[in-house]
Amino acid sequence: MTPAREAYQVKLLLDPDQVLDADGRPTGAAAAALSLGAPGRVEVAQYVDDAGQSLNGQGWIVRIRRHDDENRIRLAYKARFEIEGDGAEPAAVRRVMDRARLHNFGAGDGKYTVQVNLSHTRATLDFTNKKCRPVAGLAPGELPGLAASRALVLDRLPGKLAKWGAKPVGWAESVTASARLHGPVRQANYPCRMLDHAMETQVSRLRTATGEPAWFTEITAKAHTLREAVELRSDLMGKLRAEGWLLERDAFKTDLVLGR
């Protein structure tokens, strides 16, 4: 199987206390500095996994998402591989690609999109199988309940997850059948621009371990090559630090949602 052709994304956290008002809207200063537009879309998402995070423990993330008031549900089955270090070394990316190919992930399978994510100090390689299903009987912004979500996930379960590694036949189906819903999480996406580069600022309301609501504010930017992504991350971190906006943590929201 030939090597996968990957895209690259930089993802960093903004300090919500510095860039958002009390209602979770960008402040005037942040909107001006980031050249924020109106929210391009609003989406709501929930994740399907059991109480012990069995899927996530094997590197799989299963998400159900809906954009605005569209009449379809978007399913995503994501296999995530950790990259050694912060992702800056090409050799580390090549090694994780080799590891992924042991699980039959590569360019020969057009069902999966491939993305390298570079955050503050952590990097991942993601293979995502995306599927859509029509939705009926749901109000605008509403997602399916537990039984319907389990059925949706099982109906479109990809073969790579169904036959995952050393797990016995039927493992993924069994986990899904006993899964719970994690979420929902509502996210507003604002197109923006910084360093003469098109980006997106994403604002979500989460609940912390103590049950208090908190804001998760992420800025993301696409890149064509690993070198471009590494340089963009460094420049963007420097710019955000200078503004006093950078939150010195990795931006992986799924971990927070599943761990609540």
Side-chain angles (χ1 to χ4, degrees):
M1 186 173 288
T2 56
R5 181 175 299 173
E6 65 272 17
Y8 299 86
Q9 178 177 251
V10 174
K11 43 193 286 138
L12 298 170
L13 284 180
L14 302 176
D15 186 344
D17 293 335
Q18 302 300 319
V19 300
L20 301 180
D21 63 21
D23 296 319
R25 291 187 294 264
T27 63
L34 291 167
S35 300
L36 285 183
R41 67 176 188 267
V42 177
E43 61 190 50
V44 60
Q46 61 193 17
Y47 298 84
V48 178
D49 205 341
D50 63 13
Q53 298 186 45
S54 297
L55 295 175
N56 190 40
Q58 290 294 313
W60 280 93
I61 298 165
V62 178
R63 183 188 66 212
I64 297 175
R65 183 166 66 184
R66 188 177 178 192
H67 290 172
D68 299 315
D69 297 336
E70 66 181 359
N71 60 357
R72 62 178 178 171
I73 293 295
R74 299 170 182 260
L75 290 165
Y77 301 85
K78 181 180 296 184
R80 172 163 285 173
F81 298 84
E82 296 289 332
I83 300 174
E84 300 169 31
D86 65 356
E89 293 297 325
V93 177
R94 287 195 296 270
R95 284 194 295 272
V96 77
M97 284 285 187
D98 290 340
R99 192 163 80 247
R101 281 195 290 275
L102 296 177
H103 294 278
N104 297 317
F105 286 104
D109 189 345
K111 296 179 180 179
Y112 287 80
T113 60
V114 189
Q115 182 165 277
V116 173
N117 300 297
L118 302 185
S119 194
H120 187 266
T121 61
R122 180 185 171 198
T124 67
L125 170 66
D126 294 353
F127 290 81
T128 307
N129 183 311
K130 299 177 181 179
K131 307 182 182 202
C132 291
R133 297 287 286 174
V135 60
L138 294 181
E142 185 181 8
L143 290 173
L146 178 57
S149 294
R150 288 172 174 171
L152 279 169
V153 171
L154 286 170
D155 180 57
R156 305 305 300 274
L157 199 71
K160 286 182 173 59
L161 177 52
K163 303 173 183 177
W164 181 246
K167 291 297 181 181
V169 175
W171 168 77
E173 291 89 340
S174 177
V175 172
T176 302
S178 62
R180 53 176 289 188
L181 297 179
H182 303 259
V185 176
R186 187 174 178 83
Q187 176 176 297
N189 302 312
Y190 298 83
C192 63
R193 194 167 190 87
M194 184 169 268
L195 302 173
D196 199 29
H197 197 105
M199 303 186 186
E200 186 174 70
T201 298
Q202 303 163 349
V203 180
S204 306
R205 193 172 193 179
L206 304 181
R207 290 194 176 275
T208 64
T210 60
E212 295 299 320
W215 295 103
F216 184 95
T217 312
E218 179 180 356
I219 188 166
T220 65
K222 302 293 185 182
H224 298 293
T225 66
L226 179 62
R227 180 175 179 178
E228 180 186 342
V230 171
E231 292 176 353
L232 179 59
R233 176 177 61 181
S234 177
D235 293 345
L236 185 55
M237 288 174 69
K239 176 65 174 175
L240 294 175
R241 282 197 184 107
E243 296 284 353
W245 294 347
L246 181 67
L247 198 58
E248 307 277 356
R249 288 168 36 201
D250 288 310
F252 288 91
K253 181 173 59 182
T254 304
D255 294 345
L256 297 178
V257 177
L258 290 175
R260 286 190 306 193

